[in-house]
Amino acid sequence: MLRRMVLAVAVSVGMSAPLKAADDLVTTYELENGMQVVVVEDHRAPVVMHMVWYKAGSADEQPGVSGIAHFLEHLMFKGTDTMESGEFSSTVAANGGRDNAFTSYDVTAYHQRVASDRLELMMRMESDRMVNLRIGEEEILTEREVIIEERNQRVENNPGALFREQLTAAQYLNHRYGIPVIGWRHEMEALDMDDALSFYETYYAPNNAILIVAGDVEPEDVKALADQYYGVIPANPDLPPRLRPSEPPQSSARRMVFYDARVAQPYVTRSYLAPERNSGDQRKAAALTLLAELLGGGQTSVLSQKLQFETKQSVYAGSWYRGTSLDATTFNLIMVPAPGIGMQEAEDAMDAAVAEFMAEGVDAAHLDRLKMQLRASQVYERDSVESVANRYGRGLTSGLTIADIQEWPEILQSITSEDIMAAAEEVFDLRTSVTGWLMTEEQEVSQ
């Protein structure tokens, strides 16, 4: 206890003092090559989550090569100077662990969950493929077919996915959030070796990466291993600034109807451009987080109570907001009409329910229950080293600080009804909205 009290107030150079909030014990430092290292201690089980987050996602791609960030993620599981193709994952499995990776608009991350005594092996392999990836033309051709087939399964064969892709493209007039993470198919088909290596050599460098280690580890041990394996990799002195096309002022509501004969259940949805969580100023994002829960976070939410149970016009209604992004995000509403309810009637009912909420304001008892549920979920989340590592990784790669991440639970608890209504007034601006109907042509005729 004395050690933690002393460290909590210490100020040092090099390895910084652990920051403790919500019972997270976090130590952070930076390697000489610019790589940030974050250690979150949890000694309750002998497991560790090892993650490397690259601050480069699909929104950082150059025009014409959409999908290259995701394509490279696949190629990273091929060979290196010291490992055969596929050996990385097979080694993790042979040591009782599991590994995977993901690409989003803002990041590409690689992770392994293993026993604590296997951490050094993970660092050795992950640092190897940070700098020593070796791919040939045959692997390019084979893996390109894999990602095209992935698009076929997840997007082309899913009318809802095609619909959401078009909605997002309509929401962002200039920003690359309007381009799908997996890529446009016609550009994916042309991705080649030069495209992959250019992205790899530009962004896969220690000074563009964050190492997150969460679990049964000691910060001093992690630092020694990180210095040994990642610290020897040179920084990229030519790492470009993270400049993206900015979104122009949006001043006109957009609408679309997406027809697909495979649609079994039509629905209406609307997205509004919304602010992201920003370092040092998270209250608006917190208010929008609570607004989404109040409006559409479950069967006790405003939309569900009104549209499903009171008027019985919907079989599902909801809302969501994900503020952890580098640039402006969206606030979303959805309504799935009940049988016999037309699309225009459904949209009008959804709008009426929101308008009623705006007129009546926040129910204080409902807000108190939501805050209690959020606090409970945040406590339970700490039982998973994966969830903890993801929380810090997503926050740090979107521009937040460790202090921001740790203050978030208390900021949520401090939000008032007035904060929520002010955020709603700002976001519910039809001039920044996209409204979409997903349906078949036969469903339109039958209305």
Side-chain angles (χ1 to χ4, degrees):
M1 179 62 71
L2 179 60
R3 169 182 176 267
R4 294 191 178 190
M5 290 176 63
V6 172
L7 287 173
V9 298
V11 178
S12 62
V13 178
M15 184 183 293
S16 68
L19 302 173
K20 188 169 184 286
D23 291 326
D24 283 343
L25 188 58
V26 180
T27 303
T28 181
Y29 48 88
E30 186 173 293
L31 303 183
E32 290 185 4
N33 57 15
M35 187 176 192
Q36 185 178 359
V37 182
V38 177
V39 183
V40 188
E41 294 177 67
D42 183 348
H43 300 287
R44 291 176 292 174
V47 297
V48 66
M49 190 73 175
H50 173 264
M51 305 189 77
V52 171
W53 297 70
Y54 292 100
K55 290 180 278 188
S58 64
D60 299 292
E61 298 165 342
Q62 294 297 308
V65 291
S66 64
I68 193 61
H70 174 250
F71 186 29
L72 179 58
E73 175 212 314
H74 279 243
L75 293 170
M76 286 288 284
F77 289 88
K78 302 303 180 182
T80 70
D81 289 344
T82 63
M83 289 186 290
E84 298 294 328
S85 180
E87 185 179 343
F88 190 108
S89 292
S90 64
T91 301
V92 175
N95 282 271
R98 64 174 186 264
D99 73 317
N100 213 326
F102 60 85
T103 305
S104 69
Y105 291 117
D106 297 318
V107 301
T108 311
Y110 301 84
H111 54 91
Q112 305 89 39
R113 186 180 187 275
V114 292
S116 301
D117 61 0
R118 299 297 192 274
L119 177 60
E120 181 175 2
L121 175 61
M122 298 304 106
M123 284 202 190
R124 177 174 63 77
M125 293 195 300
E126 193 67 78
S127 62
D128 180 38
R129 67 176 173 179
M130 178 183 282
V131 69
N132 292 321
L133 182 66
R134 294 294 176 265
I135 47 179
E137 286 295 342
E138 182 177 347
E139 289 166 317
I140 291 288
L141 296 174
T142 300
E143 208 60 36
R144 191 169 62 196
E145 289 302 313
V146 170
I147 61 169
I148 290 173
E149 181 56 30
E150 182 178 340
R151 181 180 167 88
N152 287 340
Q153 293 179 359
R154 295 186 178 183
V155 182
E156 307 293 350
N157 292 330
N158 184 337
L162 289 168
F163 173 54
R164 291 188 294 272
E165 197 173 70
Q166 295 295 311
L167 283 171
T168 304
Q171 179 69 77
Y172 292 97
L173 302 176
N174 194 47
H175 196 282
R176 292 190 65 82
Y177 283 173
I179 298 173
V181 172
I182 198 169
W184 297 119
R185 184 188 178 102
H186 68 285
E187 292 185 347
M188 294 168 66
E189 291 172 341
L191 296 177
D192 59 21
M193 176 84 77
D194 290 341
D195 298 326
L197 291 179
S198 175
F199 199 86
Y200 176 71
E201 291 166 358
T202 299
Y203 295 110
Y204 280 49
N207 53 322
N208 196 46
I210 300 175
L211 171 64
I212 308 285
V213 179
D216 186 24
V217 293
E218 295 294 339
E220 297 82 1
D221 296 337
V222 174
K223 184 179 189 305
L225 290 173
D227 281 330
Q228 179 181 351
Y229 290 104
Y230 293 106
V232 297
I233 300 174
N236 178 9
D238 299 319
L239 183 68
R242 208 167 191 187
L243 301 177
R244 293 166 165 182
S246 59
E247 193 66 14
Q250 296 192 7
S251 57
S252 176
R254 275 144 280 155
R255 301 183 60 87
M256 61 174 288
V257 179
F258 191 92
Y259 297 107
D260 194 304
R262 299 168 294 178
V263 173
Q265 177 63 69
Y267 64 85
V268 57
T269 186
R270 180 178 297 138
S271 62
Y272 297 88
L273 205 62
E276 73 282 8
R277 282 172 64 185
N278 288 309
S279 180
D281 183 18
Q282 301 182 87
R283 293 191 63 82
K284 190 176 295 184
L288 290 172
T289 299
L290 289 168
L291 175 65
E293 291 297 317
L294 286 166
L295 278 178
Q299 291 195 341
T300 62
S301 67
V302 170
L303 294 180
S304 289
Q305 287 293 309
K306 181 69 175 181
L307 301 174
Q308 284 183 258
F309 301 111
E310 185 178 329
T311 67
K312 301 187 186 306
Q313 294 170 293
S314 174
V315 296
Y316 174 76
S319 63
W320 67 95
Y321 164 79
R322 297 183 181 88
T324 309
S325 65
L326 197 62
D327 300 314
T329 182
T330 57
F331 189 100
N332 303 271
L333 304 170
I334 185 172
M335 177 174 170
V336 182
I341 302 297
M343 297 296 280
Q344 188 61 58
E345 183 180 356
E347 182 181 337
D348 292 344
M350 182 179 74
D351 286 342
V354 173
E356 183 177 320
F357 168 80
M358 295 299 293
E360 295 181 354
V362 175
D363 181 276
H366 189 185
L367 178 57
D368 288 342
R369 289 195 302 272
L370 276 178
K371 287 183 176 181
M372 184 178 298
Q373 292 166 3
L374 282 171
R375 187 178 288 280
S377 67
Q378 288 160 351
V379 171
Y380 294 142
E381 182 190 67
R382 292 183 53 249
D383 289 333
S384 168
V385 292
E386 296 177 50
S387 296
V388 170
N390 270 284
R391 175 158 49 88
Y392 282 95
R394 289 189 184 279
L396 292 169
T397 52
S398 65
L400 301 178
T401 66
I402 289 176
D404 293 326
I405 297 164
Q406 294 184 331
E407 291 167 2
W408 177 248
E410 294 309 316
I411 292 175
L412 284 171
Q413 295 299 316
S414 72
I415 296 299
T416 66
S417 298
E418 291 75 18
D419 294 329
I420 293 170
M421 296 309 297
E425 288 281 359
E426 179 179 336
V427 166
F428 291 151
D429 182 348
L430 283 175
R431 294 172 299 178
T432 69
S433 72
V434 180
T435 304
W437 295 1
L438 174 65
M439 60 194 302
T440 67
E441 294 183 4
E442 289 76 10
Q443 287 164 340
E444 181 177 52
V445 171
S446 66
Q447 294 181 16

